[in-house]
Amino acid sequence: MKLYWKYFLIQLKSKMEYKTSFVLTCIGQFLVSFNVFLGVYFMFQRFSSVQGFTYQEILLCFGITLMEFSLAESVARGFDLFSVLIRKGEFDRIMVRPRNEILQVLGSRMEFTRIGRMLQAAVMFTYGVSVSHVAWTFPKVLTVIFMLIGGTAVFSGIFLLFASVCFFTLEGLEIFNIFTDGAREYGKYPVCIYGKRVLQICTFVIPYALIQYYPLMFLLDRGKEWYGLLPLAACLFLVPCFALWKCGVRHYTSCGS
């Protein structure tokens, strides 16, 4: 953690060299997310609910999902840009250093500008909490914390999968954007509205439902209490992601520069 903290300070100092650019980028991130919020708002001006979910409940759901994605993108951005390290041969330099490769990749890029997106998520979540009439108890507060932890782990795992595949393809596969940016966009609504088959895939294959739909049902008093623990189970998604990464590292051959 000491080394990661040093990476953090280095990245922060580099961003602060151009303060105006940093602030404007944060504002831009906020406005982009705000446009999505407006889309939800105008849709609910036409329809009172979506499969039984009200506007306030959707905001609660979307706020948590957006916060999960923003946290993961902030800390795991290095994996999202990992194909650049592979193409330029810079991963060779990482390999010869006496430190863990994952730690070095994580420290290679941190997106502090995602503060704007996280602020938007916090505003949406706060408003959703205040108007959704959720009877907040200690287990429900813990559930929200678990959702943020599990969601950050799942999205970080997908970024790790994206990086792992680059060992074999050398280029990043754009199809993974379906599972990152696509999941962020479609995650503004509970997974169940997309059909039973999608819900099954998002439960047993890529566990979006474990960090969004099931714990949300518990928060809204429509699900069982143990649903609140499912986000922690979603953290196990990191295990196969890490296994693929180690497989990629073992088979890595330099591509030069």
Side-chain angles (χ1 to χ4, degrees), residues 195-207:
K196 181 179 179 180
R197 190 65 62 190
V198 173
L199 179 59
Q200 291 173 339
I201 293 173
C202 292
T203 299
F204 301 106
V205 182
I206 301 179

Side-chain angles (χ1 to χ4, degrees), residues 159-190:
F159 284 128
L160 182 57
L161 279 179
F162 173 82
S164 302
V165 171
C166 292
F167 284 117
F168 306 99
T169 64
L170 301 184
E171 293 285 345
L173 299 180
E174 294 299 323
I175 190 174
F176 277 91
N177 289 331
I178 298 174
F179 304 106
T180 53
D181 295 299
R184 180 195 66 205
E185 294 300 315
Y186 289 105
K188 59 179 174 279
Y189 301 108

Side-chain angles (χ1 to χ4, degrees), residues 25-26 50 63 91 101 105 107 127 143 158 165 172 178 188 224 244:
T25 305
C26 288
V50 176
F91 190 69
E101 300 92 357
V105 175
Y127 178 71
T143 296
I158 295 173
V165 171
I178 298 174
K188 59 179 174 279
K224 301 176 181 178
L244 182 60

Side-chain angles (χ1 to χ4, degrees), residues 30 73 78 178:
F30 180 89
E73 195 175 29
I178 298 174

Side-chain angles (χ1 to χ4, degrees), residues 74-85:
S74 297
V75 300
R77 183 65 171 170
F79 289 124
D80 193 30
L81 301 175
F82 185 71
S83 59
V84 177
L85 297 180

